[in-house]
Structures are given as structure tokens and as C-alpha cells.
Amino acid sequence: MSDPSQTPSVPRPELFDFHGVQMVHAFTDNWENIQNFKARPDDILIATYPKAGTTWVSYILDLLYFGQSDPERQTSIPIYRRVPFLDISVTHSEEELNYTGVDLANELPTSPRLLKTHYPVQFVPKSFFEQNCKMVYVARNAKDNMVSYYHFERMTQVQPEPGEWKNYFQRFLDGKMNYGSWYDHVNGWWQRKNTYSNIHYMFFEDLSENTDREITKLCRFLGLTVTPEIRRQVTGQVQFDTMKNNKMANYSTLNSKDMMDFRVSPFMRKGKVGDWKNHFTVEQNEKFDQDYEQKMKDPNLQFRTLI
Ligand code: PPS
């Protein structure tokens, strides 16, 4: 007999072509309102391909801006409420799961507002550019990004059914993913910074290698003066194990298997560079590398798959 607790209560969404990008409806349903979103000049947009380190950088920025002035925030407001996910629109019988990212963003009392998106750069509402907003783009090497996305799709009903790893692997190479091709995403944002200077393009692997150094660079970009002591504190608070055990960061407060089922995989899974080695076969790795060479032509955009 099947275990009813394992039976999904909502069907998995299908991918469809949306302005040339594969998407699922939860991130396109509120399109008009998203496109008409009125950014403020001090808004900070945190942009990533899914599973590239959004929550990590969101938490860092939140601590840098509000960690000292509002310590209560750190124990009472989950990260997805502090840094609204602009793209999303969910309808659900539970009130906690019935909202749009735009509404959450418009209700934010903070200044600056920290906002999250996974959109490819061409989907970002134009007001962010018109207002010359600062944007932090986090990129993660494709191999680890793929593995992380696979485990995420296994555990969240909001994403398409991932199926078997070997088919998922091919789907990723073909760009048949929610938010489209990783290759187009990282390249699109990389190129955009040539014409829009307020983008700080950073890498998951660098953050993993030296968090303190990357926070220093972030502060420089954001124009924040932070003492070495506070920087050290923030670095400590955003270590993987600390964030994994922090209810405000690990998404455990969502507490609904319709959204995320932690029995399948935790949100804070491994947080490592190089976990792809535990998933890729030798053959897959060779195929991946050949395909990568064809798709990633810009010599200035270099990723590390090991540190
Ligand atoms: S989402 O759903 O797209 O917003 O996910 P996102 O936050 O972008 O990415 C989740 C992955 O980031 C890892 N993570 C971290 N790694 C190291 N240190 C810290 N502090 C940290 N916080 C989040 C998280 O574990 C996911 O990666 P994997 O490889 O699956 O563990």
C-alpha cells in the first residue's frame, strides 16, 4: 500500500515557453504586476539562477543592513519575508502560502528594501534600471547548481517533477528548466553589467572559499562601512551549519509539504562546492564538459567546480 504522507496533494506544474524562457506558472502568473513594480532608488535586488546561493547572500545583506539596529528581526522574521521573492505568486488554503511577492515587497517597512528574483536579466522590471538600483547577482558553477536544483525539485511541489537523475542531467543541458537555461542566465547577467554598472557579479565558490573577503567586496559595492568586528560576526552567522540550524534561514517555518517536503531533502542540503562529484558519472562529466565548451564562449566568465 502506498504511504499517503508521500502522496503529493497538489499536482506538479508543467514547463511552458514564456517569452522564450521555460517557466512554470507560479512565477509568471503575476507578470503584469511584476513588470509594473515601482522600484525605489535604494532598493537592492538579489538575483540568481535558482539554487545559486540566494538565501546565503540574502541573509548576509539582511545582517549587514539590519543586524545591529533590529536584533529582534533576527529571531522573528523568516528570510523569505524579509527579502520577498518578487516573481512568485501562490494561492493556497493556508494563509501563510497565499501571497504574491509584489504584495510582500510593497508591504515591506524597511529601507532599503532587499528583494529577490530568479528572473533572467531581460525579465527584470524596468523600474529597477530606471532607478539605477543596486543589483547583486550570485552565480554558481553549473555542475553543483544542477545537483542542488535536482534535490530541490525532488522536495518542492512548486517545481516540475525532476524524474530520474540521468534524464534530469540532459534536461539541464537542454535548458528545459524552470527559469530556462543556466547558460543563458549567467551569460545574460554577465553581459548586462557591461552596460549597467550597478551590478555586483559574485560567485558561490568565492563566498565558500573566503566569506569575509566576499563580504568586504559586497560592502564596498553597497557603500557600507562595517567594522572588522561586525564583519567577523556576520561571517560567523552565515556559516552553513549555523544557517542550517537557524529557523529564520532554513525555510522550516514554511512547514507545509505542499511547498517543501524536508523529509525528501532539506533546503540547507550540503552547501558544498564539488558535490557534483557524488552525482556525475565519468561519462556524464565528459559529455557535460564538451557541451559546456560549446555554450560558454566568453573567456572572461570563468567558474570553478572545485576549490
Ligand atoms: S533558492 O531556492 O533558489 O532560493 O535556493 P538558494 O538559496 O539560491 O540556494 C540553495 C543552495 O545554497 C546553499 N546554501 C549555503 N551554502 C553554504 N553556506 C551557506 N550559508 C548556505 N546557505 C544556503 C544550500 O545548501 C543550497 O545548496 P545545496 O548544494 O543544495 O546544499
Side-chain angles (χ1 to χ4, degrees):
M1 215 170 81
S2 66
D3 175 358
S5 67
Q6 296 295 329
T7 310
S9 49
V10 280
R12 293 293 193 115
E14 296 287 331
L15 289 169
F16 64 97
D17 182 285
F18 187 74
H19 301 292
V21 179
Q22 295 287 302
M23 295 290 297
V24 299
H25 64 85
F27 312 102
T28 60
D29 278 355
N30 202 28
W31 182 249
E32 289 294 311
N33 290 328
I34 295 167
Q35 290 307 303
N36 292 323
F37 182 74
K38 287 194 171 34
R40 299 179 192 151
D42 63 345
D43 283 347
I44 297 164
L45 188 66
I46 299 161
T48 68
Y49 191 73
K51 313 318 288 180
T54 335
T55 315
W56 198 359
V57 169
S58 297
Y59 219 84
I60 291 172
L61 292 201
D62 190 77
L63 285 168
L64 288 173
Y65 278 103
F66 309 114
Q68 303 300 310
S69 60
D70 189 357
E72 203 191 315
R73 174 183 177 87
Q74 302 307 323
T75 53
S76 62
I77 309 177
I79 191 65
Y80 52 84
R81 292 268 166 187
R82 295 185 213 174
V83 183
F85 182 14
L86 214 53
D87 323 357
I88 204 167
S89 139
V90 277
T91 38
H92 195 275
S93 50
E94 288 172 46
E95 201 190 329
E96 176 77 1
L97 295 179
N98 201 353
Y99 63 92
T100 72
V102 168
D103 286 345
L104 290 186
N106 284 328
E107 288 160 15
L108 271 187
T110 58
S111 177
R113 300 185 298 186
L114 305 176
L115 304 166
K116 153 181 168 176
T117 184
H118 288 318
Y119 279 153
V121 71
Q122 71 274 21
F123 281 11
V124 170
K126 62 179 183 324
S127 64
F128 283 97
F129 295 101
E130 287 165 357
Q131 297 295 334
N132 199 30
C133 296
K134 290 193 160 70
M135 303 179 189
V136 175
Y137 185 79
V138 194
R140 186 178 193 181
N141 82 77
K143 293 179 180 178
D144 283 326
N145 208 141
M146 183 196 308
V147 168
S148 182
Y149 211 169
Y150 171 68
H151 289 292
F152 186 63
E153 286 203 355
R154 288 173 53 234
M155 66 86 124
T156 178
Q157 303 296 325
V158 181
Q159 297 280 348
E161 176 63 51
E164 277 186 52
W165 165 252
K166 67 173 187 320
N167 299 333
Y168 192 84
F169 172 88
Q170 190 57 49
R171 237 183 79 201
F172 187 94
L173 265 54
D174 294 342
K176 292 191 182 132
M177 310 289 299
N178 182 32
Y179 287 102
S181 149
W182 175 93
Y183 309 87
D184 291 347
H185 207 283
V186 297
N187 277 304
W189 276 92
W190 180 257
Q191 279 155 21
R192 192 69 175 89
K193 77 184 176 54
N194 293 333
T195 50
Y196 183 78
S197 60
N198 247 351
I199 297 174
H200 178 70
Y201 199 106
M202 62 186 289
F203 297 89
F204 184 100
E205 294 72 29
D206 292 348
L207 196 54
S208 189
E209 181 180 66
N210 190 334
T211 309
D212 190 74
R213 178 192 66 207
E214 294 306 306
I215 293 180
T216 304
K217 287 193 210 163
L218 268 169
C219 288
R220 201 176 306 134
F221 170 69
L222 297 167
L224 288 175
T225 311
V226 170
T227 64
E229 174 53 24
I230 293 190
R231 220 175 46 234
R232 265 194 298 278
Q233 263 179 35
V234 172
T235 299
Q237 284 168 285
V238 301
Q239 292 309 296
F240 180 74
D241 288 338
T242 311
M243 277 185 62
K244 187 178 171 75
N245 292 318
N246 176 352
K247 277 198 183 121
M248 296 299 122
N250 65 16
Y251 277 81
S252 59
T253 47
L254 268 183
N255 197 26
S256 167
K257 71 178 171 49
D258 289 348
M259 198 71 170
M260 295 184 192
D261 190 342
F262 297 111
R263 295 167 308 180
V264 177
S265 183
F267 185 88
M268 296 286 171
R269 198 182 56 88
K270 288 194 180 170
K272 292 231 173 330
V273 179
D275 189 37
W276 61 271
K277 288 204 148 195
N278 297 315
H279 293 75
F280 280 44
T281 64
V282 172
E283 196 187 20
Q284 281 173 337
N285 197 35
E286 281 169 7
K287 183 172 184 183
F288 179 96
D289 288 346
Q290 278 171 14
D291 179 75
Y292 191 85
E293 219 175 293
Q294 296 305 311
K295 288 180 178 144
M296 300 293 284
K297 296 285 188 202
D298 187 338
N300 296 317
L301 180 55
Q302 294 291 337
F303 285 86
R304 292 187 290 165
T305 55
L306 293 172
I307 53 171

